[in-house]
Amino acid sequence: MIKLFYAFAFMMLASQALSQDVKIRKKDRKKDVMMVTDSGNIVLRLSDSTPLHRDNFLKLVKSGFYNDVSFHRVIQGFVIQAGDPKTKRNIGDTTGFKNPSFTVPAEIRQSFFHKRGMLAAARTSDDVNPEKRSSGTQFYIVQGRKFTPESLDSVETHRLKGKKISAERRAVYETVGGIPHLDQNYTIFGEVVTGMDVVDRIAATKTNGRPGGDKPLTDIRIQKVSLVKKAKK
């Protein structure tokens, strides 16, 4: 389960969250997102198939919300996660937001799956969030791992309760890697264009382990996030 690390993240306060000063222009939707981190640069491309998440992320970027946020949950072979405003050195700085504890309606698309490099929204668990609404600010990038045919069979049986993974997706999970058991449970709204080597470096960081929330022992911060001209994939 993709855990959230701030209280009341399940509160549905989206209407109060974004500063009215942050406007999205058509040209913003045609750009990539450059994330400068302590470990290097990651370029993200947002999907037009998830317009609510796309525009929300663009507003966060333009407001400077992600600047100085750290990756607070890192699990090698799984994900790197960030977006908790409490990880800022100046905790009171939630630039551009009246209330960061808001959610976004789910935009789970059948055509998207958790292959390596996908960008998705974190959320609270089904028992308190049956609609699978996304955290308004927290996101994760899939590092994942490669699977054997046998391990995918096991995922189908034990994690997907008998639901079958298509042959096409099995091939991707076997050759590229990912996290198949998360499919159709979280909103995927983009992908990494360049910088998976940076994702791998961050994922390899030593943490305090599962009991401590998989927090890196040394902070890895997002220094700055900005919109840039689309890069060639």
Side-chain angles (χ1 to χ4, degrees):
M1 184 61 62
I2 303 299
K3 298 177 180 178
L4 302 181
F5 284 80
Y6 58 88
F8 311 121
F10 57 88
M11 295 175 65
M12 300 179 183
L13 298 173
S15 62
Q16 301 177 18
L18 290 170
S19 167
Q20 295 180 354
D21 296 333
V22 181
K23 304 295 183 183
I24 300 300
R25 297 177 173 84
K26 287 184 179 180
K27 65 180 182 179
D28 295 332
R29 299 187 177 105
K30 297 179 180 180
K31 293 185 177 182
D32 285 339
V33 176
M34 169 74 80
M35 186 172 291
V36 179
T37 80
D38 290 344
S39 297
N41 298 343
I42 302 170
V43 177
L44 303 168
R45 182 158 300 166
L46 307 182
S47 173
D48 291 332
S49 297
T50 51
L52 298 178
H53 285 73
R54 175 200 63 201
D55 286 359
N56 178 64
F57 199 77
L58 288 172
K59 288 178 180 180
L60 287 159
V61 169
K62 292 188 70 173
S63 73
F65 178 86
Y66 287 120
N67 298 347
D68 198 46
V69 166
S70 68
F71 287 93
H72 63 270
R73 185 171 184 240
V74 169
I75 305 174
Q76 190 163 24
F78 192 54
V79 303
I80 62 172
Q81 183 173 336
D84 183 350
K86 290 184 179 179
T87 65
K88 288 193 175 192
R89 279 170 284 206
N90 179 4
I91 295 177
D93 179 13
T94 53
T95 307
F97 281 76
K98 298 175 183 177
N99 190 330
S101 300
F102 70 100
T103 59
V104 180
E107 294 181 291
I108 298 172
R109 306 299 185 225
Q110 291 290 334
S111 58
F112 291 170
F113 61 106
H114 281 77
K115 66 180 179 180
R116 174 178 164 86
M118 299 307 283
L119 171 69
R123 68 176 181 86
T124 50
S125 60
D126 286 354
D127 57 341
V128 296
N129 181 22
E131 295 180 345
K132 303 183 189 298
R133 294 177 68 97
S134 300
S135 161
T137 63
Q138 292 199 36
F139 66 88
Y140 61 93
I141 298 173
V142 175
Q143 185 197 33
R145 65 179 180 85
K146 293 180 182 178
F147 287 76
T148 64
E150 293 75 21
S151 60
L152 287 174
D153 290 343
S154 178
V155 170
E156 289 177 340
T157 301
H158 301 291
R159 302 303 294 271
L160 300 180
K161 299 180 180 180
K163 183 178 179 180
K164 298 297 182 182
I165 303 169
S166 70
E168 179 182 3
R169 292 186 182 182
R170 286 177 73 101
V172 174
Y173 284 130
E174 290 173 18
T175 58
V176 177
I179 316 172
H181 73 269
L182 296 185
D183 288 348
Q184 300 306 302
N185 280 302
Y186 298 83
T187 296
I188 296 170
F189 64 97
E191 63 182 316
V192 174
V193 179
T194 61
M196 278 307 295
D197 57 325
V198 178
V199 173
D200 289 337
R201 280 198 293 275
I202 295 172
T205 303
K206 291 184 178 180
T207 72
N208 59 7
R210 189 170 182 177
D214 299 300
K215 184 181 184 298
L217 297 179
T218 301
D219 284 345
I220 302 173
R221 295 195 175 276
I222 298 171
Q223 298 173 9
K224 184 178 181 180
V225 185
S226 59
L227 301 182
V228 296
K229 183 178 179 180
K230 276 194 174 181
K232 292 183 178 180
K233 294 180 68 175

